Amino acid sequence: MATLDDEASAVALLDQIVALPEEAPSHVLQHAMRTFMLDALLKPATVEPHHRAIWGRMTSWVFENPQAERAAVNNHIDREFQACAFTTMFCAAIEFRGVLCGAERGWANITQFEDIIATAIARFGTHETLFLGVVKLLQAGGIAFFPEPALGWLRTIALTRRSDQAFWGSNGDGMVEILRAAISNDPSLARSHGSAIMFIADVLVDNAVRGAGFLQQELSKRQS
């Protein structure tokens, strides 16, 4: 799809894919989206406007899919749709390597996709498996979104899953990793946004996330 010369041709092809019956679109798009992400968005120094528009159409299909609603309430989603969802956060689940983020720190084009990333985190950030995409993205190129809107995204996740020990049992360490990476990247966050970070840390402590106590101690030291 990245090789098509114009947006209209790519959109026409995409429309044919999403019109396929039942789960077929996910089977096709899990591969098409990953390839398009790499070849049209991540590799070029400049993202072509029509490629940005095509990515918007692709991700909109993911966000509007009924499985996205299931993901928002942490219900089971198909493996193929899960792959599409990870891709909206510039991540991919690689066999034997886990979830990797293709958007590296310093990727100059990431702010062009803030609206799509914000929607992806809102849709998928509270899903027990897909939260790993948030972890990987915000430690990589997505670190550019700190302090805001990233802390706002994380606070919303913490509020939504505030009393969900199963969720934090799987993802608490990942949330700690995100916050530590953000503070390491910009130590001034401990002072300028300490209350927001401490709120999230408190939720983690309440849910018995072991690393959260050390995060609180680190915040207190940097604020003193």
Side-chain angles (χ1 to χ4, degrees):
M1 204 169 285
T3 61
L4 294 179
D5 292 332
D6 63 280
E7 180 182 348
S9 298
V11 169
L13 177 58
L14 181 60
D15 287 344
Q16 292 178 35
I17 293 171
V18 300
L20 293 172
E22 299 178 356
E23 304 303 323
S26 294
H27 286 263
V28 176
L29 284 176
Q30 66 171 325
H31 302 295
M33 289 184 71
R34 183 183 300 180
T35 300
F36 187 85
M37 173 183 72
L38 292 171
D39 293 343
L41 306 182
L42 294 175
K43 289 181 180 179
T46 302
V47 177
E48 296 293 337
H50 71 283
H51 287 162
R52 171 61 174 79
I54 293 166
W55 189 244
R57 292 289 294 266
M58 286 180 162
T59 55
S60 291
W61 177 84
V62 178
F63 299 146
E64 294 166 7
N65 191 285
Q67 291 205 65
E69 296 182 9
R70 297 173 63 183
V73 292
N74 204 27
N75 285 339
H76 172 77
I77 55 176
D78 295 339
R79 182 177 180 180
E80 293 78 16
F81 182 80
Q82 187 179 112
C84 295
F86 274 130
T87 310
T88 65
M89 295 179 276
F90 292 96
C91 292
I94 308 299
E95 192 171 8
F96 304 121
R97 298 183 65 189
V99 175
L100 303 177
C101 182
E104 298 179 351
R105 289 195 187 190
W107 182 42
N109 298 315
I110 195 166
T111 54
Q112 295 183 38
F113 301 93
E114 180 178 336
D115 58 331
I116 293 174
I117 290 170
T119 303
I121 293 177
R123 292 282 194 278
F124 306 130
T126 56
H127 187 270
E128 192 165 326
T129 299
L130 295 177
F131 180 76
L132 187 54
V134 180
V135 173
K136 298 300 182 180
L137 173 65
L138 293 185
Q139 290 185 85
I143 205 164
F145 294 119
F146 280 96
E148 296 295 347
L151 283 175
W153 296 337
L154 297 177
R155 178 184 172 86
T156 298
I157 293 170
L159 278 170
T160 303
R161 294 288 176 226
R162 189 169 191 167
S163 302
D164 190 337
Q165 289 195 347
F167 180 87
W168 297 118
S170 300
N171 293 300
D173 290 342
M175 180 68 90
V176 171
E177 290 174 9
I178 296 173
L179 296 174
R180 280 187 165 162
I183 294 170
S184 176
N185 185 63
D186 182 5
S188 69
L189 290 180
R191 289 181 177 273
S192 63
H193 293 77
S195 59
I197 298 171
M198 189 63 79
F199 171 82
I200 299 169
D202 287 344
V203 171
L204 299 178
V205 168
D206 290 344
N207 285 275
V209 177
R210 293 179 61 183
F214 294 108
L215 176 61
Q216 288 179 323
Q217 293 175 15
E218 182 180 350
L219 278 172
S220 297
K221 288 180 181 178
R222 290 181 180 273
Q223 291 172 344
S224 62

